[in-house]
Protein backbone atom coordinates (compact mmCIF):
# COMPACT_ATOMS: atom_id res chain seq x y z
CA UNK A 1 0.00 0.00 0.00
CA UNK A 2 1.51 3.29 -1.11
CA UNK A 3 0.67 5.71 1.66
CA UNK A 4 2.69 8.78 0.82
CA UNK A 5 3.48 8.77 -2.89
CA UNK A 6 2.92 11.56 -5.35
CA UNK A 7 0.91 10.99 -8.51
CA UNK A 8 1.87 13.21 -11.46
CA UNK A 9 -1.41 12.44 -13.18
CA UNK A 10 -3.44 14.89 -11.08
CA UNK A 11 -3.61 18.61 -11.06
CA UNK A 12 -5.86 21.24 -9.53
CA UNK A 13 -9.01 22.55 -11.26
CA UNK A 14 -8.89 26.05 -12.62
CA UNK A 15 -10.10 28.86 -10.38
CA UNK A 16 -13.44 30.48 -11.10
CA UNK A 17 -11.73 33.65 -12.23
CA UNK A 18 -9.88 31.63 -14.85
CA UNK A 19 -6.39 32.54 -15.93
CA UNK A 20 -3.40 32.68 -13.63
CA UNK A 21 -0.74 30.07 -13.28
CA UNK A 22 -2.03 26.70 -12.15
CA UNK A 23 0.00 24.96 -9.46
CA UNK A 24 -0.45 21.16 -9.55
CA UNK A 25 -1.53 19.69 -6.25
CA UNK A 26 0.46 17.00 -4.51
CA UNK A 27 -1.00 13.58 -5.02
CA UNK A 28 -3.42 12.66 -2.26
CA UNK A 29 -3.50 8.90 -2.34
CA UNK A 30 -4.97 8.71 1.17
CA UNK A 31 -4.93 10.43 4.54
CA UNK A 32 -1.16 9.99 4.98
CA UNK A 33 -0.41 12.11 1.92
CA UNK A 34 1.27 15.42 2.63
CA UNK A 35 0.34 17.90 4.00
CA UNK A 36 -1.46 16.73 7.15
CA UNK A 37 -4.53 18.66 8.22
CA UNK A 38 -4.47 20.39 11.65
CA UNK A 39 -7.62 18.52 12.68
CA UNK A 40 -5.93 15.23 11.78
CA UNK A 41 -3.04 16.08 14.10
CA UNK A 42 -5.51 17.14 16.81
CA UNK A 43 -7.29 13.78 16.55
CA UNK A 44 -4.04 11.88 17.12
CA UNK A 45 -3.07 14.12 20.05
CA UNK A 46 -6.45 13.52 21.69
CA UNK A 47 -6.10 9.79 21.16
CA UNK A 48 -2.67 9.77 22.82
CA UNK A 49 -3.92 11.92 25.70
CA UNK A 50 -6.90 9.67 26.45
CA UNK A 51 -4.82 6.48 26.09
CA UNK A 52 -2.00 7.70 28.37
CA UNK A 53 -4.20 9.19 31.07
CA UNK A 54 -6.62 6.28 31.24
CA UNK A 55 -4.17 3.36 31.10
CA UNK A 56 -1.33 5.10 32.90
CA UNK A 57 -3.05 7.20 35.58
CA UNK A 58 -6.74 6.56 36.24
CA UNK A 59 -7.21 2.80 35.81
CA UNK A 60 -4.28 1.90 38.16
CA UNK A 61 -6.04 3.93 40.90
CA UNK A 62 -9.30 1.97 40.60
CA UNK A 63 -10.23 -0.66 43.24
CA UNK A 64 -8.35 -3.95 42.73
CA UNK A 65 -11.44 -5.87 41.65
CA UNK A 66 -12.08 -3.30 38.89
CA UNK A 67 -8.59 -3.40 37.43
CA UNK A 68 -9.00 -6.40 35.04
CA UNK A 69 -12.20 -5.00 33.54
CA UNK A 70 -10.71 -1.53 33.32
CA UNK A 71 -7.59 -2.62 31.47
CA UNK A 72 -9.32 -5.13 29.20
CA UNK A 73 -12.37 -3.09 28.16
CA UNK A 74 -10.54 0.20 27.73
CA UNK A 75 -7.59 -1.48 26.01
CA UNK A 76 -9.82 -3.30 23.53
CA UNK A 77 -11.67 -0.10 22.64
CA UNK A 78 -8.47 1.91 22.22
CA UNK A 79 -6.74 -0.74 20.12
CA UNK A 80 -9.90 -1.37 18.08
CA UNK A 81 -10.30 2.32 17.35
CA UNK A 82 -6.64 2.61 16.38
CA UNK A 83 -7.00 -0.25 13.88
CA UNK A 84 -10.14 0.99 12.11
CA UNK A 85 -8.94 4.61 12.18
CA UNK A 86 -5.63 3.70 10.54
CA UNK A 87 -7.44 1.61 7.90
CA UNK A 88 -9.89 4.43 7.16
CA UNK A 89 -6.97 6.83 6.72
CA UNK A 90 -4.84 4.41 4.68
CA UNK A 91 -7.41 3.18 2.15
CA UNK A 92 -7.55 5.01 -1.16
CA UNK A 93 -11.28 5.72 -1.77
CA UNK A 94 -10.74 6.74 -5.39
CA UNK A 95 -12.88 5.39 -8.20
CA UNK A 96 -11.70 2.02 -9.47
CA UNK A 97 -10.68 3.39 -12.86
CA UNK A 98 -8.68 6.17 -11.20
CA UNK A 99 -6.79 3.63 -9.10
CA UNK A 100 -6.13 1.46 -12.16
CA UNK A 101 -4.71 4.30 -14.18
CA UNK A 102 -0.94 4.01 -14.41
CA UNK A 103 0.03 6.33 -17.28
CA UNK A 104 2.52 9.03 -16.40
CA UNK A 105 2.59 12.69 -17.35
CA UNK A 106 0.74 15.77 -16.14
CA UNK A 107 -3.00 16.06 -16.50
CA UNK A 108 -4.07 19.04 -18.60
CA UNK A 109 -5.57 21.98 -16.73
CA UNK A 110 -9.35 21.84 -16.93
CA UNK A 111 -10.56 23.85 -19.93
CA UNK A 112 -13.96 25.34 -19.11
CA UNK A 113 -14.33 26.71 -22.63
CA UNK A 114 -14.66 23.14 -23.88
CA UNK A 115 -16.43 21.49 -20.92
CA UNK A 116 -18.80 23.00 -18.38
CA UNK A 117 -17.73 20.64 -15.61
CA UNK A 118 -14.99 18.28 -14.58
CA UNK A 119 -17.35 15.29 -14.84
CA UNK A 120 -19.67 15.05 -17.84
CA UNK A 121 -21.49 11.90 -18.92
CA UNK A 122 -19.58 9.86 -16.35
CA UNK A 123 -16.19 10.96 -17.70
CA UNK A 124 -13.78 13.02 -15.61
CA UNK A 125 -11.69 15.42 -17.67
CA UNK A 126 -9.14 15.85 -14.89
CA UNK A 127 -8.64 12.19 -14.01
CA UNK A 128 -9.13 11.38 -17.74
CA UNK A 129 -11.09 8.21 -17.04
CA UNK A 130 -14.69 7.08 -17.05
CA UNK A 131 -16.13 7.04 -13.53
CA UNK A 132 -19.21 5.66 -11.85
CA UNK A 133 -22.48 7.62 -11.69
CA UNK A 134 -22.03 8.35 -7.96
CA UNK A 135 -18.37 9.32 -8.21
CA UNK A 136 -17.47 12.94 -7.44
CA UNK A 137 -14.24 14.80 -8.02
CA UNK A 138 -12.88 16.05 -4.71
CA UNK A 139 -10.71 19.11 -5.19
CA UNK A 140 -8.99 18.61 -1.81
CA UNK A 141 -7.80 15.12 -2.76
CA UNK A 142 -7.91 16.05 -6.46
CA UNK A 143 -9.37 12.75 -7.64
CA UNK A 144 -12.71 11.12 -8.29
CA UNK A 145 -14.03 9.22 -5.27
CA UNK A 146 -16.39 6.27 -5.69
CA UNK A 147 -19.78 6.87 -3.99
CA UNK A 148 -18.47 10.11 -2.55
CA UNK A 149 -19.86 10.96 0.89
CA UNK A 150 -17.64 13.78 2.16
CA UNK A 151 -14.04 14.85 2.68
CA UNK A 152 -13.17 14.25 6.33
CA UNK A 153 -10.58 16.65 7.69
CA UNK A 154 -10.13 14.53 10.84
CA UNK A 155 -8.98 11.64 8.64
CA UNK A 156 -7.41 13.96 6.04
CA UNK A 157 -9.04 11.64 3.53
CA UNK A 158 -12.20 11.35 1.50
CA UNK A 159 -14.94 9.04 2.73
CA UNK A 160 -16.50 6.94 0.01
CA UNK A 161 -17.64 3.43 -0.77
CA UNK A 162 -14.34 1.77 0.16
CA UNK A 163 -13.90 3.27 3.61
CA UNK A 164 -17.36 4.46 4.72
CA UNK A 165 -17.90 1.47 7.04
CA UNK A 166 -14.43 1.97 8.50
CA UNK A 167 -15.26 5.63 9.07
CA UNK A 168 -18.44 4.70 10.95
CA UNK A 169 -16.63 2.06 13.00
CA UNK A 170 -13.98 4.63 13.84
CA UNK A 171 -16.64 7.02 15.15
CA UNK A 172 -18.41 4.30 17.16
CA UNK A 173 -15.21 2.88 18.70
CA UNK A 174 -13.99 6.38 19.57
CA UNK A 175 -17.29 7.16 21.28
CA UNK A 176 -17.29 3.92 23.30
CA UNK A 177 -13.63 4.28 24.22
CA UNK A 178 -14.05 7.85 25.46
CA UNK A 179 -17.09 6.80 27.50
CA UNK A 180 -14.94 4.21 29.29
CA UNK A 181 -12.23 6.81 29.90
CA UNK A 182 -14.89 9.14 31.31
CA UNK A 183 -16.07 6.47 33.75
CA UNK A 184 -12.60 5.90 35.22
CA UNK A 185 -11.69 9.61 35.28
CA UNK A 186 -14.99 10.56 36.94
CA UNK A 187 -14.59 7.88 39.60
CA UNK A 188 -11.04 9.00 40.40
CA UNK A 189 -12.04 12.66 40.54
CA UNK A 190 -15.00 12.08 42.89
CA UNK A 191 -13.16 9.59 45.08
CA UNK A 192 -10.15 11.91 45.39
CA UNK A 193 -12.45 14.58 46.84
CA UNK A 194 -14.38 12.21 49.13
CA UNK A 195 -11.82 9.66 50.33
CA UNK A 196 -8.39 9.65 48.63
CA UNK A 197 -7.28 6.64 50.66
CA UNK A 198 -9.56 4.44 48.53
CA UNK A 199 -7.35 5.22 45.55
CA UNK A 200 -4.11 4.27 47.31
CA UNK A 201 -4.51 0.47 47.10
CA UNK A 202 -1.42 -0.23 45.00
CA UNK A 203 1.59 -1.67 46.83
CA UNK A 204 3.69 1.40 45.99
CA UNK A 205 1.52 3.51 48.28
CA UNK A 206 2.02 1.11 51.20
CA UNK A 207 5.75 1.81 51.48
CA UNK A 208 5.27 5.49 52.28
CA UNK A 209 3.23 7.37 54.86
CA UNK A 210 3.25 10.59 52.88
CA UNK A 211 -0.37 11.05 51.78
CA UNK A 212 0.66 13.97 49.59
CA UNK A 213 2.82 11.71 47.44
CA UNK A 214 1.12 10.02 44.50
CA UNK A 215 2.34 7.80 41.69
CA UNK A 216 1.40 7.81 38.03
CA UNK A 217 2.10 5.14 35.41
CA UNK A 218 1.60 2.36 37.90
CA UNK A 219 2.48 -0.46 38.28
CA UNK A 220 5.30 -0.90 35.73
CA UNK A 221 6.90 2.56 35.69
CA UNK A 222 5.83 4.48 38.80
CA UNK A 223 6.64 8.18 38.73
CA UNK A 224 6.35 10.45 41.78
CA UNK A 225 3.69 13.12 41.47
CA UNK A 226 2.06 15.79 43.60
CA UNK A 227 -1.45 15.07 44.79
CA UNK A 228 -2.96 18.05 42.92
CA UNK A 229 -1.96 16.52 39.59
CA UNK A 230 -4.54 13.72 39.89
CA UNK A 231 -7.76 15.80 40.22
CA UNK A 232 -6.53 18.39 37.69
CA UNK A 233 -5.82 15.73 35.08
CA UNK A 234 -9.14 14.05 35.86
CA UNK A 235 -11.03 17.33 35.45
CA UNK A 236 -9.29 18.09 32.13
CA UNK A 237 -9.98 14.57 30.90
CA UNK A 238 -13.65 14.82 31.88
CA UNK A 239 -14.00 18.14 30.08
CA UNK A 240 -12.34 16.93 26.89
CA UNK A 241 -14.22 13.65 27.09
CA UNK A 242 -17.63 15.29 27.40
CA UNK A 243 -16.88 17.63 24.51
CA UNK A 244 -15.64 14.75 22.35
CA UNK A 245 -18.63 12.59 23.22
CA UNK A 246 -21.01 15.40 22.30
CA UNK A 247 -19.39 15.93 18.91
CA UNK A 248 -19.10 12.21 18.16
CA UNK A 249 -22.71 11.55 19.21
CA UNK A 250 -23.91 14.35 16.96
CA UNK A 251 -21.84 13.00 14.06
CA UNK A 252 -23.00 9.41 14.60
CA UNK A 253 -26.63 10.50 14.89
CA UNK A 254 -26.33 12.52 11.69
CA UNK A 255 -24.96 9.54 9.75
CA UNK A 256 -27.64 7.26 11.21
CA UNK A 257 -30.19 9.74 9.90
CA UNK A 258 -28.50 9.70 6.49
CA UNK A 259 -28.48 5.90 6.36
CA UNK A 260 -32.14 5.77 7.38
CA UNK A 261 -33.02 8.11 4.52
CA UNK A 262 -30.53 6.46 2.13
CA UNK A 263 -28.61 9.67 1.58
CA UNK A 264 -24.94 10.57 1.51
CA UNK A 265 -23.61 13.71 3.16
CA UNK A 266 -23.10 15.16 -0.31
CA UNK A 267 -26.72 14.48 -1.31
CA UNK A 268 -27.98 15.90 1.98
CA UNK A 269 -26.11 19.17 1.36
CA UNK A 270 -27.48 19.26 -2.19
CA UNK A 271 -31.03 19.03 -0.89
CA UNK A 272 -30.46 21.62 1.82
CA UNK A 273 -28.99 24.09 -0.66
CA UNK A 274 -31.83 23.43 -3.05
CA UNK A 275 -34.44 24.15 -0.35
CA UNK A 276 -32.70 27.31 0.80
CA UNK A 277 -32.38 28.52 -2.78
CA UNK A 278 -36.03 27.76 -3.48
CA UNK A 279 -37.29 29.63 -0.41
CA UNK A 280 -35.01 32.63 -0.93
CA UNK A 281 -35.66 32.91 -4.66
CA UNK A 282 -39.44 32.54 -4.43
CA UNK A 283 -39.66 35.29 -1.80
CA UNK A 284 -37.53 37.92 -3.55
CA UNK A 285 -37.46 37.30 -7.32
CA UNK A 286 -39.84 36.46 -10.18
CA UNK A 287 -40.28 32.88 -11.28
CA UNK A 288 -37.72 32.99 -14.10
CA UNK A 289 -35.04 34.50 -11.84
CA UNK A 290 -35.88 31.99 -9.14
CA UNK A 291 -35.25 29.13 -11.55
CA UNK A 292 -31.88 30.57 -12.47
CA UNK A 293 -30.92 30.99 -8.81
CA UNK A 294 -31.95 27.43 -8.00
CA UNK A 295 -29.74 26.12 -10.78
CA UNK A 296 -26.84 28.17 -9.49
CA UNK A 297 -27.36 26.83 -5.96
CA UNK A 298 -26.90 23.32 -7.36
CA UNK A 299 -23.33 23.99 -8.46
CA UNK A 300 -20.42 22.89 -6.33
CA UNK A 301 -16.74 23.57 -6.02
CA UNK A 302 -14.11 23.34 -3.33
CA UNK A 303 -14.04 20.08 -1.43
CA UNK A 304 -17.06 18.62 -3.17
CA UNK A 305 -15.62 19.13 -6.62
CA UNK A 306 -17.48 19.78 -9.85
CA UNK A 307 -20.23 17.38 -10.81
CA UNK A 308 -23.33 19.14 -12.05
CA UNK A 309 -23.55 19.13 -15.89
CA UNK A 310 -26.20 21.86 -15.96
CA UNK A 311 -24.19 24.74 -14.56
CA UNK A 312 -21.54 26.92 -16.16
CA UNK A 313 -19.97 28.56 -13.11
CA UNK A 314 -19.69 26.57 -9.89
CA UNK A 315 -19.91 28.28 -6.52
CA UNK A 316 -18.11 27.44 -3.33
CA UNK A 317 -19.83 25.14 -0.87
CA UNK A 318 -18.70 24.66 2.71
CA UNK A 319 -17.05 21.26 3.21
CA UNK A 320 -19.20 18.57 4.84
CA UNK A 321 -16.92 18.44 7.87
CA UNK A 322 -18.43 21.75 8.94
CA UNK A 323 -21.46 19.64 9.84
CA UNK A 324 -19.41 17.54 12.21
Amino acid sequence: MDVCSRNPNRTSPVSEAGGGDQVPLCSRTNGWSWPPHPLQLLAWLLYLFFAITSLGIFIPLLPPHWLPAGYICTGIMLVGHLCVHVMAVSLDPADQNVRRKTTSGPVPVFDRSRHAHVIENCHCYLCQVDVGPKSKHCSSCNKCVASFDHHCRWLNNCVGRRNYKLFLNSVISALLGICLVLVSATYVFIQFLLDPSQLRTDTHFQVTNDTGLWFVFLPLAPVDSAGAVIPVLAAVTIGLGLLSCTLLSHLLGFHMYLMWNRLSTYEYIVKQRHRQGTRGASAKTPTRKASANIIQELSYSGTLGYTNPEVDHPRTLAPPDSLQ
Side-chain angles (χ1 to χ4, degrees):
M1 182 182 298
D2 189 0
V3 298
C4 55
S5 65
R6 292 170 178 250
N7 189 337
N9 293 318
R10 297 172 188 160
T11 186
S12 60
V14 296
S15 61
E16 287 199 30
D21 295 336
Q22 300 301 318
V23 180
L25 294 176
C26 296
S27 175
R28 298 203 55 80
T29 304
N30 51 35
W32 303 115
S33 300
W34 196 261
H37 194 279
L39 290 180
Q40 181 187 27
L41 299 178
L42 178 60
W44 284 109
L45 289 176
L46 285 174
Y47 175 84
L48 291 175
F49 176 81
F50 286 129
I52 292 173
T53 54
S54 61
L55 297 177
I57 299 176
F58 303 133
I59 292 179
L61 298 178
L62 297 179
H65 57 282
W66 287 12
L67 290 179
Y71 281 118
I72 293 174
C73 295
T74 306
I76 288 176
M77 283 294 101
L78 291 174
V79 172
H81 172 73
L82 178 63
C83 292
V84 294
H85 187 93
V86 169
M87 287 190 289
V89 172
S90 302
L91 272 178
D92 183 0
D95 187 276
Q96 185 176 14
N97 289 335
V98 175
R99 288 183 281 111
R100 286 179 175 177
K101 185 179 178 182
T102 57
T103 56
S104 60
V107 171
V109 173
F110 181 62
D111 186 358
R112 196 173 296 283
S113 65
R114 297 179 58 188
H115 306 284
H117 295 276
V118 170
I119 298 178
E120 289 181 344
N121 299 321
C122 291
H123 182 83
C124 178
Y125 290 94
L126 277 181
C127 298
Q128 295 182 323
V129 295
D130 293 332
V131 295
K134 290 189 176 182
S135 295
K136 312 298 178 193
H137 190 96
C138 173
S139 61
S140 291
C141 292
N142 203 29
K143 63 186 177 185
C144 286
V145 177
S147 298
F148 178 82
D149 186 83
H150 70 283
H151 181 85
C152 180
R153 291 172 290 182
W154 297 92
L155 299 177
N156 198 29
N157 196 18
C158 275
V159 176
R161 179 193 304 150
R162 298 191 74 207
N163 61 350
Y164 184 78
K165 290 183 179 179
L166 291 171
F167 164 76
L168 278 184
N169 287 330
S170 178
V171 173
I172 294 172
S173 60
L175 181 59
L176 294 177
I178 293 175
C179 286
L180 291 175
V181 174
L182 275 175
V183 170
S184 58
T186 302
Y187 174 85
V188 170
F189 182 78
I190 294 175
Q191 197 64 38
F192 189 93
L193 298 179
L194 297 180
D195 187 5
S197 63
Q198 297 297 319
L199 303 176
R200 304 172 65 88
T201 57
D202 190 88
T203 54
H204 287 83
F205 292 110
Q206 298 174 6
V207 298
T208 178
N209 295 324
D210 186 0
T211 58
L213 179 64
W214 289 77
F215 295 97
V216 295
F217 305 116
L218 293 169
L220 300 179
V223 177
D224 297 353
S225 172
V229 171
I230 304 300
V232 169
L233 276 177
V236 172
T237 303
I238 293 171
L240 290 175
L242 290 175
L243 178 60
S244 300
C245 283
T246 301
L247 296 176
L248 289 170
S249 299
H250 179 269
L251 178 59
L252 180 60
F254 174 67
H255 279 276
M256 295 295 289
Y257 166 82
L258 293 179
M259 288 189 293
W260 178 263
N261 290 277
R262 297 183 179 180
L263 294 171
S264 66
T265 304
Y266 177 87
E267 292 167 340
Y268 172 83
I269 294 177
V270 169
K271 290 192 174 186
Q272 292 299 109
R273 293 279 176 164
H274 186 282
R275 290 173 184 171
Q276 293 175 6
T278 303
R279 287 196 297 265
S282 61
K284 297 180 180 179
T285 62
T287 304
R288 295 182 67 182
K289 271 194 171 181
S291 300
N293 288 343
I294 293 170
I295 291 177
Q296 288 184 357
E297 288 292 337
L298 286 173
S299 60
Y300 306 99
S301 62
T303 298
L304 298 184
Y306 310 94
T307 58
N308 190 341
E310 301 175 4
V311 190
D312 291 330
H313 302 288
R315 299 167 59 186
T316 302
L317 179 65
D321 269 2
S322 62
L323 296 174
Q324 299 176 17

